[in-house]
Amino acid sequence: MNNGLPRPVTAVIIVAAGSGERLGYGMPKAAVPLGGEPILMHALRGVVASGVGSQVCVVLPPGADGLRDLCEDFREELADGGPVLTVLDGGATRADSVRAGIAALMDGIEAVLVHDAARALAPENVFHRVVDSLAAGALAVIPAIPVVDTVKMVARTSGDDAAIAPELVTGTAPREELRSVQTPQGFRLSTLQDAHAAASGFDEQQAAAVTDDAMLVEMLGVRVHAVHGSTQSLKITTPLDLIIAEGLLEGPLGIRWVEG
Ligand code: C5P
């Protein structure tokens, strides 16, 4: 699991400040119950169990007092020698929430993993692959899995075409070169800081187009490496995802199913 190289002192930022509207529960996604516990707590337990972080920053929706209380209770469960747990409020966009996490890092942190709370079942071995890659010299590394669907580009139709169908295919991406990208995404601290400093002046449209941290690093011209992710790291976004996640936790395979 460990490539034997000295690992950087690492913090994990768990971003959990999204509204989670697509899940339709009328509460922040991180608070939605999964197997009897909020999604956030699965993510937090997974991060702590991986043992990769000296500090874990949980970024919450402002005013989510129930989640904040759960984090405070969890702090008491942490064994001596466990990570420092920092709990703070997020911002309007995911990138704002990541920036809030960066601002709360302890002195001495050398590398940061940014993890979506929505990927609550990400297995420990993915965290280790990401940190091993940082230890081997990566400035930026993401977990990724092959795409199973054929992916096409489309444009909205107008005029006569609109009467036939709402969209027209403009191209087909070569599937063998495509990857679905997950979290935790790992970065040397200075690389992540530079990437987010560059993005802090984005206008609303540019900010909305930022869907992960690695794309900000790519914009700096820094090489982003990819390690193998896991289908178990699914991003709980829709009610169907929640059913799948429940099935992974409670189904006949249960915890025996931990994909490599
Ligand atoms: O909205 P999206 O599905 O891309 O969110 C991915 C992750 O970013 C989620 O875990 C969500 O809680 C987090 N997020 C955040 N602050 C926001 C928006 C999203 O921490 N303002």
Side-chain angles (χ1 to χ4, degrees):
M1 196 170 266
N2 188 324
N3 57 11
L5 296 167
R7 288 180 159 188
V9 181
T10 300
V12 184
I13 298 173
I14 303 177
V15 282
S19 64
E21 278 160 16
R22 284 168 289 184
L23 213 45
Y25 266 71
M27 64 171 84
K29 189 188 335 189
V32 170
L34 165 66
E37 247 198 332
I39 285 174
L40 172 66
M41 297 313 291
H42 292 275
L44 182 52
R45 286 185 201 286
V47 166
V48 171
S50 77
V52 298
S54 303
Q55 180 183 14
V56 178
C57 288
V58 182
V59 188
L60 295 177
D65 295 336
L67 288 177
R68 189 172 274 271
D69 289 348
L70 283 174
C71 290
E72 300 300 340
D73 291 348
F74 183 73
R75 179 180 283 127
E76 285 168 25
E77 279 179 40
L78 290 173
D80 282 348
V84 171
L85 181 61
T86 309
V87 185
L88 57 142
D89 285 344
T93 66
R94 184 184 180 283
D96 289 333
S97 296
V98 174
R99 278 190 282 271
I102 294 171
L105 294 176
M106 305 186 302
D107 287 347
I109 294 294
E110 298 169 322
V112 181
L113 270 49
V114 183
H115 186 44
D116 288 344
R119 298 189 188 273
L121 303 184
E124 286 177 33
N125 51 13
V126 174
F127 286 88
H128 288 284
R129 282 198 280 271
V130 169
V131 176
D132 281 347
S133 183
L134 291 168
L139 297 178
V141 56
I142 58 174
I145 56 173
V147 171
V148 292
D149 295 317
T150 295
V151 178
K152 293 191 190 289
M153 313 277 287
V154 297
R156 283 205 71 76
T157 45
S158 57
D160 290 346
D161 279 338
I164 301 171
E167 293 177 339
L168 189 68
V169 172
T170 57
T172 304
R175 190 169 64 182
E176 65 281 6
E177 290 177 29
L178 295 176
R179 298 289 178 270
S180 278
V181 168
Q182 307 176 328
T183 69
Q185 298 191 346
F187 307 92
R188 279 277 156 183
L189 173 58
S190 57
T191 302
L192 188 65
Q193 283 171 322
D194 290 349
H196 275 277
S200 61
F202 279 4
D203 64 29
E204 208 174 311
Q205 199 181 352
Q206 289 169 314
V210 177
T211 51
D212 76 347
D213 300 283
M215 65 184 281
L216 297 178
V217 171
E218 290 158 46
M219 287 176 197
L220 296 180
V222 173
R223 282 146 61 89
V224 176
H225 301 264
V227 294
H228 191 61
S230 169
T231 53
Q232 199 177 309
S233 305
L234 79 161
K235 184 177 176 188
I236 302 169
T237 309
T238 66
L240 177 62
D241 300 327
L242 198 56
I243 291 167
I244 295 169
E246 291 277 4
L248 290 176
L249 282 177
E250 295 174 10
L253 293 173
I255 56 168
R256 283 182 293 133
W257 188 63
V258 178
E259 201 200 64

